[in-house]
Amino acid sequence: MGGRDTDLILLDENGIRCDGRKIDEPRKIMIKAGVLKNANGSAYIEFGDNKILAGVFGPRDVHPKHLANTDTGILRCRYHMSPFSVEERKRPAPSRREIEISKVIKEALKPAVMLEQFPRTVVDIFIEVLQADGGSRCAALAAASVALADAGIPMRDMVSACAAGKVADTIVLDVNNEEDQAGQADMPVGYMPNMEKITLIQLDGVLTPEEYKKCVETAVAGCKLVYEIQKKALTDKYFSNGENN
Amino acid sequence: MENTKRKYVIPGEVITSGPYRPEQNVILDGERIIATAVGISEIYDDTVRVISLTGKYIPKINDLVVAKVLSHSSLSWELDINSSYVGFLPASDVFGRDFSAHADELNSKLKKGDLVVARIANSDRSRDPLLTISDRELGKIESGELVKISPSKIPRLIGKRGTMIQTIEMATGAVITIGQNGWIVVSCENNDGLLKATKAIQMVEEQAHIANLTDRVKSMLESKGE
């Protein structure tokens, strides 16, 4: 059911996936906060083979002026993939997919950011995918959230993100590119770990109600792992080489 | 402050729960008090707050700021105050009540790029912050070096009852004007003092979270003294 035909063994009899991971094991994740000098806040994430930079400006004056809201600040987000981020050169103009991801990331961050404190301003988020390897929207969202915190923009909670999916009739955590292409379902989830609220959920594929529930639970567990790494990134930047009392 | 409890927090982290009063950079979520910024949380008596370590300057009434002239219209100047909003300085504040838009040329008093020490006269959600320079210690800055640091580290630069800034001023002989917006003007008769004062300010910025910073700065200033 579903998925593309492939010679790839997605899941062997010992429960090991095509890249050697267990079913509930995420890829290797590394986040660094404050990597760019000219942006107000920034973050760099390596999520498996994904390499993504996020930069945040603001709150600042809105241009064009008619977009400004006198009651609250606004959020703008641009997700962009570099021409060299995929195997065949990607044309640099924003594609349908990039416009969609920009929108969902913006909407996933909006509940967390306290824009009402900054009327008539805008917070701009720029996300640049340097290398893509499946699940880049989750990685981008996690990086954007760290960049926002680095910019000192008040937030109700961090937003963590991780995907889960169905591969070879099994629910697995953090679907990679091969599994995404050949698997049966992919579900990216954005999650606020302290408020225990989901801010992003998408589903590509077919799941039974039971599988759906399991998939959400798996993804949320993954988000909690990502949160610890986000926390470490900020702690490393702001509280290292000092005593922790 | 013996009964102050400090902790490093990031947005979303629960600081405490119970009958506390939320102050700056925290929100109340039911019983829980949650940080909204990266910084150091403080529980003092019944209040909880977070001292943010990053972010832009948020204008507060009566704050002293160092501002840079961006442009002017026939009635007012616009000043960069290192914030989300531009500062608004009406011409009548400089020329007095008999200001006339045809007779007086705004360029004659303040030009684009000039630095001024100003006070925030008014600031609310609906308008850009209103500045004033009509006071004795306010007005155009004629000489000095501009040093920019994060606005959140200004309290650290001043120190407890001004100890830090006094230490730097005494050791270098410099006169330091601190704007709450993170812009600082250092002026000094001799070049050496100027360089040392600038270095000390940058040291405070880099090591703001380390305890006993005043002593560290003092020893740095003394060691380079010879």
Side-chain angles (χ1 to χ4, degrees):
Chain A
M1 186 190 99
R4 214 170 290 168
D5 285 338
T6 171
D7 321 330
L8 202 69
I9 299 162
L10 288 171
L11 197 66
D12 71 9
E13 56 280 6
N14 304 321
I16 301 295
R17 289 150 73 178
C18 60
D19 56 1
R21 286 184 288 152
K22 297 193 203 87
I23 56 167
D24 58 350
E25 190 182 340
R27 284 171 285 181
K28 206 165 170 269
I29 310 166
M30 187 279 285
I31 307 179
K32 201 163 185 287
V35 290
L36 305 174
K37 180 179 139 279
N38 295 335
N40 297 130
S42 58
Y44 172 68
I45 188 169
E46 282 185 15
F47 202 114
D49 282 334
N50 284 301
K51 293 183 179 179
I52 300 170
L53 264 177
V56 168
F57 289 92
R60 64 179 180 182
D61 256 10
V62 192
H63 284 289
K65 274 229 157 92
H66 71 267
L67 292 175
N69 187 333
T70 47
D71 295 330
T72 177
I74 59 170
L75 194 63
R76 284 192 298 208
C77 179
R78 188 187 85 141
Y79 166 100
H80 182 248
M81 290 175 85
S82 298
F84 49 79
S85 63
V86 278
E87 274 181 36
E88 193 155 331
R89 179 180 184 271
K90 191 207 146 284
R91 304 181 79 200
S95 64
R96 181 200 57 76
R97 180 177 168 276
E98 285 169 286
I99 294 166
E100 178 212 313
I101 295 179
S102 302
K103 178 182 180 287
V104 297
I105 290 178
K106 181 183 87 183
E107 286 169 5
L109 289 168
K110 220 170 188 179
V113 184
M114 298 165 78
L115 289 164
E116 65 279 2
Q117 290 186 10
F118 303 96
R120 291 171 288 117
T121 62
V122 61
V123 173
D124 277 314
I125 305 165
F126 297 98
I127 297 162
E128 193 68 30
V129 180
L130 307 176
Q131 184 170 291
D133 179 45
S136 71
R137 72 188 70 197
C138 288
L141 180 54
S145 169
V146 174
L148 281 169
D150 182 41
I153 292 158
M155 289 200 286
R156 277 172 262 268
D157 200 350
M158 296 292 288
V159 180
S160 302
C162 194
K166 186 179 168 193
V167 169
D169 298 316
T170 318
I171 301 297
V172 298
L173 180 67
D174 186 18
V175 179
N176 69 20
N177 202 24
E178 288 77 37
E179 291 169 336
D180 187 25
Q181 303 288 327
Q184 294 145 307
D186 176 24
M187 178 193 272
V189 171
Y191 181 69
M192 296 198 283
N194 293 296
M195 303 190 98
E196 297 177 355
K197 279 181 181 152
I198 289 173
T199 65
L200 163 75
I201 190 158
Q202 292 183 302
L203 174 60
D204 179 12
V206 182
L207 294 176
T208 65
E210 293 74 43
E211 283 172 339
Y212 183 90
K213 225 174 144 187
K214 175 125 192 276
C215 208
V216 174
E217 279 166 15
T218 310
V220 166
C223 290
K224 287 177 182 160
L225 296 172
V226 173
Y227 174 67
E228 292 305 319
I229 296 158
Q230 290 177 310
K231 195 168 161 180
K232 188 174 170 294
L234 289 168
T235 310
D236 282 353
K237 180 177 173 197
Y238 286 99
F239 311 131
S240 64
N241 71 41
E243 89 291 14
N244 199 339
N245 42 0
Chain B
M1 286 193 276
E2 250 108 89
N3 52 348
T4 313
K5 267 198 248 158
R6 288 205 176 85
K7 207 167 75 177
Y8 294 134
V9 291
I10 66 166
E13 231 169 284
V14 179
I15 301 167
T16 182
S17 56
Y20 289 101
R21 257 188 319 135
E23 279 194 350
Q24 46 176 311
N25 295 324
V26 295
I27 48 164
L28 201 61
D29 174 46
E31 277 277 273
R32 305 188 301 171
I33 292 177
I34 294 171
T36 63
V38 183
I40 299 161
S41 72
E42 277 188 359
I43 305 174
Y44 184 67
D45 286 343
D46 63 338
T47 62
V48 184
R49 63 174 176 164
V50 169
I51 300 160
S52 170
L53 290 178
T54 165
K56 287 200 168 180
Y57 169 65
I58 297 163
K60 274 205 297 290
I61 294 176
N62 271 332
D63 271 2
L64 197 74
V65 295
V66 174
K68 190 167 153 195
V69 179
L70 288 173
S71 66
H72 70 83
S73 66
S74 59
L75 295 170
S76 64
W77 285 274
E78 280 190 339
L79 286 85
D80 184 0
I81 52 168
N82 189 31
S83 165
S84 305
Y85 304 100
V86 290
F88 179 80
L89 179 65
S92 52
D93 190 80
V94 177
F95 290 98
R97 280 178 61 190
D98 54 344
F99 164 72
S100 118
H102 348 274
D104 295 309
E105 184 55 55
L106 269 72
N107 253 329
S108 67
K109 293 276 185 187
L110 291 172
K111 279 199 284 291
K112 186 182 171 190
D114 282 353
L115 287 176
V116 294
V117 181
R119 196 178 287 287
I120 310 271
N122 198 3
S123 171
D124 60 43
R125 284 176 60 89
S126 62
R127 256 164 298 177
D128 283 339
L130 183 71
L131 303 179
T132 175
I133 57 166
S134 58
D135 207 341
R136 244 185 318 121
E137 72 270 31
L138 306 180
K140 189 170 162 184
I141 298 164
E142 300 294 346
S143 69
E145 183 96 354
L146 181 67
V147 184
K148 295 178 180 180
I149 71 168
S150 161
S152 49
K153 284 162 190 159
I154 289 293
R156 203 75 172 110
L157 179 63
I158 295 168
K160 277 187 200 127
R161 289 183 215 92
T163 47
M164 178 76 83
I165 197 65
Q166 276 165 19
T167 308
I168 300 174
E169 282 191 323
M170 298 246 272
T172 59
V175 180
I176 302 173
T177 312
I178 302 177
Q180 290 295 325
N181 58 342
W183 287 1
I184 298 149
V185 173
V186 186
S187 53
C188 188
E189 296 286 304
N190 66 70
N191 220 355
D192 216 38
L194 184 76
L195 282 173
K196 260 179 11 185
T198 314
K199 205 168 166 204
I201 292 166
Q202 270 152 4
M203 185 175 164
V204 174
E205 149 117 274
E206 278 156 26
Q207 308 182 7
H209 56 283
I210 295 174
N212 251 333
L213 194 55
T214 314
D215 294 340
R216 276 171 179 250
V217 170
K218 204 180 248 173
S219 64
M220 189 276 279
L221 289 168
E222 277 160 11
S223 69
K224 294 274 172 71
E226 275 85 290

